[in-house]
């Protein structure tokens, strides 16, 4: 088996393919992992190997091992996909979260995010504006687990088991007026804490915002995650609440949401403001629409352990979710 170390920048190297190792069943997969050692990931000096049998949790493990979510259903429509679930420690130390830096290795810096007494304001063109805290959300909306494909615009892909609730449930609760056509989602921002990548300091359109058409938000797939791998969201994944829109590129899924606004016109969003040609407002996964600087015809499916490697796979239109969303773009 060939392990490919992932270089710091995506565009640097094309890759070889690792043998396919598919585990359709997450529990079987997790069992397998226990007997398998994990190599440290490239580009992350602080990552600790789990080779040693020490019972002291590593910093990474501490950042991932959060309170279990007490009760959630497994949504049988989304109980598996035709690829293995990405190993938790791989997903948890390979992230995009520009508020904490411009590399994939931000998991440690993201621990600065203050998640206590978090509030999410839902406002704008709605009949019932409301500010929720995280407990309110957990009590108000029945939680479910959904295993979704995940595809970043940079062409890496994973499979992640989210815990949360469908966005349409929030729409039903706040009742948008007929004028509401778009929704803007705003991430936590505090220049003292979210200092971002040094090379862009002061020049980026913070706070991070994203937007959807209201019909996209009402789609069955659109999801708010409060958890992942059965427990609360780790900070690096966008604690305590993030968007998950699996037919779209990952950048459409804002992390650490503090505000949700129903609007009558299309909002300016973070990446779209930086470069609208590279990061369209719509930005659905599509093998036929290349990014101006690279093809989207294939993707790098980050393999489940041991070590960090990938397999080249063909990109699927709407990331494989066409039966749910193609009608939105007819
Ligand atoms: N607030 C905020 N949300 C964000 C980002 C970010 O930099 N800041 N990056 C986006 C991008 S480009 C991707 S691919 C995903 C990565 O999610 P993950 O690190 O949990 O896999 O988060 C998205 N949400
Ligand atoms: Mo991304």
């Amino acid at each position: 088996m060939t392990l490919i170390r992932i270089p710091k920048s995506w565009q640097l190297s094309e890759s070889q393919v690792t043998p396919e190792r598919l585990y359709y069943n997450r529990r079987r997969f997790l069992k397998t992992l226990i007997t398998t050692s994990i190599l440290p990931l490239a580009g992350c000096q602080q990552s600790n190997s789990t080779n040693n049998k020490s019972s002291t949790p590593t910093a990474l493990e501490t950042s991932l091992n959060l309170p279990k979510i007490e009760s959630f259903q497994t949504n049988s429509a989304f109980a598996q996909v035709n690829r293995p679930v990405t190993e938790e420690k791989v997903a948890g130390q390979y992230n995009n979260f520009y508020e904490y830096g411009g590399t994939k290795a931000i998991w440690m810096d993201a621990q600065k995010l203050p998640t206590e007494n978090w509030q999410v304001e839902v406002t704008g063109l709605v009949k019932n504006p409301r500010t929720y805290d995280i407990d309110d959300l957990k009590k108000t909306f029945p939680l479910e687990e959904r295993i979704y494909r995940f595809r970043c615009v940079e062409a890496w892909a994973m499979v992640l088991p989210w815990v949360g609730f469908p966005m349409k449930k929030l729409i039903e609760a706040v009742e948008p007026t007929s004028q509401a056509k778009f929704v803007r989602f705003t991430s936590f921002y505090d220049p003292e804490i979210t200092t971002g990548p040094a090379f862009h300091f002061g020049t980026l359109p913070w706070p991070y915002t994203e937007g959807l058409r209201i019909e996209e938000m009402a789609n069955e797939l659109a999801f708010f995650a409060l958890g992942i791998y059965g427990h609360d969201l780790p900070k690096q994944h966008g604690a305590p609440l993030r968007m998950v829109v699996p037919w779209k590129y990952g950048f459409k899924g804002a992390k650490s949401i503090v505000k949700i606004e129903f609007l009558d016109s299309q909002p300016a969003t973070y990446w779209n403001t930086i470069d609208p040609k590279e990061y369209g407002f719509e930005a659905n996964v599509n093998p036929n629409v290349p990014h101006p600087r690279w093809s989207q015809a294939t993707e790098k499916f980050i393999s489940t352990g041991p070590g960090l490697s990938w397999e080249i796979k063909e990109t699927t239109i709407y990331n494989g979710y066409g039966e749910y969303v193609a009608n939105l773009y007819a």
Side-chain angles (χ1 to χ4, degrees):
M1 180 170 58
T2 322
L3 294 177
I4 319 290
R5 300 203 119 203
I6 295 199
K8 281 206 178 112
S9 160
W10 268 101
Q11 289 87 326
L12 289 183
S13 96
E14 274 314 316
S15 57
Q16 306 152 49
V17 180
T18 58
E20 286 209 356
R21 284 168 285 115
L22 292 182
Y23 299 92
Y24 293 93
N25 179 304
R26 186 166 143 232
R27 285 190 180 74
R28 193 186 121 208
F29 165 64
L30 290 172
K31 236 172 129 185
T32 312
L33 257 184
I34 293 165
T35 57
T36 317
S37 62
I38 318 267
L39 300 176
L41 303 187
C44 185
Q45 263 75 41
Q46 298 94 331
S47 77
N48 292 301
S49 167
T50 54
N51 288 339
N52 68 56
K53 295 279 186 297
S54 156
S55 57
T56 314
T58 62
L60 177 67
E61 284 163 350
T62 303
S63 82
L64 298 177
N65 290 342
L66 294 161
K68 290 209 162 38
I69 295 186
E70 310 247 304
S71 62
F72 60 84
Q73 307 276 307
T74 300
N75 184 323
S76 57
F78 306 108
Q80 60 178 41
V81 298
N82 64 347
R83 293 181 183 180
V85 172
T86 305
E87 203 264 311
E88 181 171 7
K89 288 180 189 162
V90 174
Q93 61 184 309
Y94 191 85
N95 302 95
N96 272 340
F97 206 167
Y98 275 77
E99 286 88 332
Y100 303 96
T103 73
K104 296 290 172 284
I106 54 70
W107 67 268
M108 220 175 213
D109 287 317
Q111 305 313 310
K112 292 186 291 186
L113 168 71
T115 52
E116 314 76 50
N117 304 318
W118 194 274
Q119 301 215 307
V120 184
E121 184 188 0
V122 187
T123 180
L125 301 169
V126 292
K127 294 190 190 121
N128 315 312
R130 179 162 170 192
T131 297
Y132 294 88
D133 65 29
I134 296 304
D135 266 1
D136 291 334
L137 291 173
K138 284 181 173 170
K139 286 186 190 126
T140 309
F141 300 104
L143 301 181
E144 50 181 84
E145 182 177 61
R146 294 187 179 198
I147 293 175
Y148 275 162
R149 295 161 176 267
F150 184 88
R151 173 63 151 79
C152 173
V153 71
E154 297 161 328
W156 53 273
M158 297 187 179
V159 171
L160 300 172
W162 304 104
V163 180
F165 60 95
M167 288 190 183
K168 66 180 181 192
K169 297 289 179 194
L170 181 74
I171 297 180
E172 287 163 17
V174 299
E175 294 185 75
T177 68
S178 59
Q179 283 88 56
K181 304 278 187 263
F182 290 88
V183 187
R184 171 168 54 205
F185 305 82
T186 304
S187 296
F188 172 84
Y189 176 69
D190 175 342
E192 304 268 294
I193 298 169
T194 51
T195 46
F199 54 88
H200 277 321
F201 187 73
T203 64
L204 293 173
W206 304 115
Y208 196 102
T209 54
E210 257 309 331
L212 295 173
R213 274 165 39 208
I214 197 162
E215 296 82 9
E216 293 176 317
M217 182 179 179
N219 185 269
E220 171 62 28
L221 295 177
F223 201 65
F224 283 120
L226 291 154
I228 191 169
Y229 299 99
H231 54 65
D232 286 352
L233 272 184
K235 295 183 180 188
Q236 57 267 47
H237 282 300
L241 177 76
R242 69 171 290 165
M243 305 167 64
V244 183
V245 279
W247 71 99
K248 293 181 170 290
Y249 291 120
F251 74 86
K252 291 296 298 182
K255 294 177 163 183
S256 304
I257 295 170
V258 294
K259 200 190 230 186
I260 301 168
E261 294 161 277
F262 290 77
L263 307 169
D264 59 4
S265 57
Q266 184 179 310
T269 54
Y270 180 82
W271 287 109
N272 191 254
T273 301
I274 292 169
D275 194 333
K277 287 194 292 301
E278 301 203 355
Y279 309 103
F281 184 86
E282 196 162 89
N284 298 312
V285 176
N286 189 338
N288 307 314
V289 178
H291 184 278
R293 291 184 281 129
W294 58 86
S295 165
Q296 294 289 19
T298 60
E299 61 197 28
K300 297 173 176 179
F301 182 62
I302 307 288
S303 293
T304 44
L308 185 58
S309 58
W310 65 67
E311 301 162 19
I312 300 296
K313 303 270 199 187
E314 281 183 14
T315 304
T316 316
I317 181 88
Y318 301 122
N319 208 18
Y321 294 106
E323 63 175 304
Y324 293 95
V325 297
N327 63 321
L328 287 169
Y329 311 103

